[in-house]
Amino acid sequence: MPAASSNSISHASLEQAAQWYVQLNDQHVGDQERQRWQAWLAQSGDHQAAWRYVERVGQRFAALQD
């Protein structure tokens, strides 16, 4: 499956994915939040594409944190 570009993902889904990314990287995130994220992720292919895109961006910046 080819990687989706940010142009093919809705702006709203990208914003939501970015918010989830921040929340899930908080060391105090609980199981309930993780379940809510899983439910959001399962709602649509657009959410899944947005999540993959945000993860790729996050991985690029992770190297700069070291």
Side-chain angles (χ1 to χ4, degrees), residues 21-22 25-26 55 57-66:
Y21 188 83
V22 170
N25 281 292
D26 182 338
E55 275 191 313
V57 170
Q59 289 170 355
R60 287 181 155 173
F61 284 100
L64 299 175
Q65 292 177 350
D66 292 337

Side-chain angles (χ1 to χ4, degrees), residues 1-9 14 45-46 48-54 56:
M1 169 188 234
S5 73
S6 64
N7 295 335
S8 65
I9 303 168
L14 284 169
D46 197 52
Q48 294 163 20
W51 180 254
R52 286 189 302 269
Y53 182 82
V54 168
R56 283 193 310 274

